[in-house]
Amino acid sequence: MQIEKCYQLPYPPERVYAAWVSSDTVIPPATAMDIDPRVGGHYRLIIEGPEFSARNEGRFSAVTPGKHLAYSWEWNGDGECSMIDVTFHAANDGSSTRIELRHSGFTQAESQAMHDSGWDAYIEGLITFLAN
């Protein structure tokens, strides 16, 4: 099972990509990020709250700066390891970015559905982050 999504953001690809791979891009519900964007580098998303804590961890398998990322994703040690593939395309004038995202390897429909809505929320948060 997989998710395929396409988003259009009103920011140039270099800016969108830089935010995607920055440990400073903390979008709720995340409370911290730790990203080392190189092949073999890690991707960590941390959520710490009074009643809930979670940690996602993955490793980058492909990195083409400004253009493409591929990395593994395991949510809170749930045993379901999936893969994320993201491509950043410039609009004709370079002022906006089309993101093509494929998140594959789901074994549970519930997890796929949760991540499907999670990506929409993440992109909304990314747009808000970039607007500031």
Side-chain angles (χ1 to χ4, degrees):
M1 291 185 279
Q2 70 180 15
I3 298 166
E4 291 188 26
K5 295 198 168 266
C6 191
Y7 300 97
Q8 191 74 31
L9 278 68
Y11 302 99
E14 300 79 24
R15 189 164 172 211
V16 174
Y17 177 87
W20 198 286
V21 298
S22 172
S23 294
D24 295 330
T25 306
V26 180
I27 297 170
T31 54
M33 299 291 294
D34 179 16
I35 302 172
D36 179 11
R38 60 183 173 84
V39 173
H42 61 266
Y43 183 102
R44 293 186 188 115
L45 177 147
I46 301 153
I47 299 172
E48 292 292 337
E51 299 193 18
F52 178 78
S53 74
R55 183 180 187 113
N56 165 75
E57 296 201 47
R59 293 262 172 220
F60 287 97
S61 57
V63 176
T64 305
K67 299 188 180 296
H68 176 254
L69 297 166
Y71 52 100
S72 59
W73 177 269
E74 184 179 7
W75 182 253
N76 211 29
D78 68 0
E80 181 174 72
C81 190
S82 55
M83 290 298 299
I84 297 169
D85 190 280
V86 188
T87 306
F88 304 85
H89 298 280
N92 289 340
D93 66 357
S95 66
S96 65
T97 304
R98 186 178 82 247
I99 296 173
E100 292 179 1
L101 180 136
R102 185 175 65 239
H103 192 160
S104 60
F106 293 100
T107 59
Q108 303 167 22
E110 181 181 343
S111 179
Q112 180 188 17
M114 189 172 63
H115 283 86
D116 188 85
S117 62
W119 279 116
D120 294 340
Y122 176 78
I123 296 297
E124 285 179 32
L126 181 61
I127 290 169
T128 300
F129 178 86
L130 289 167
N132 295 323

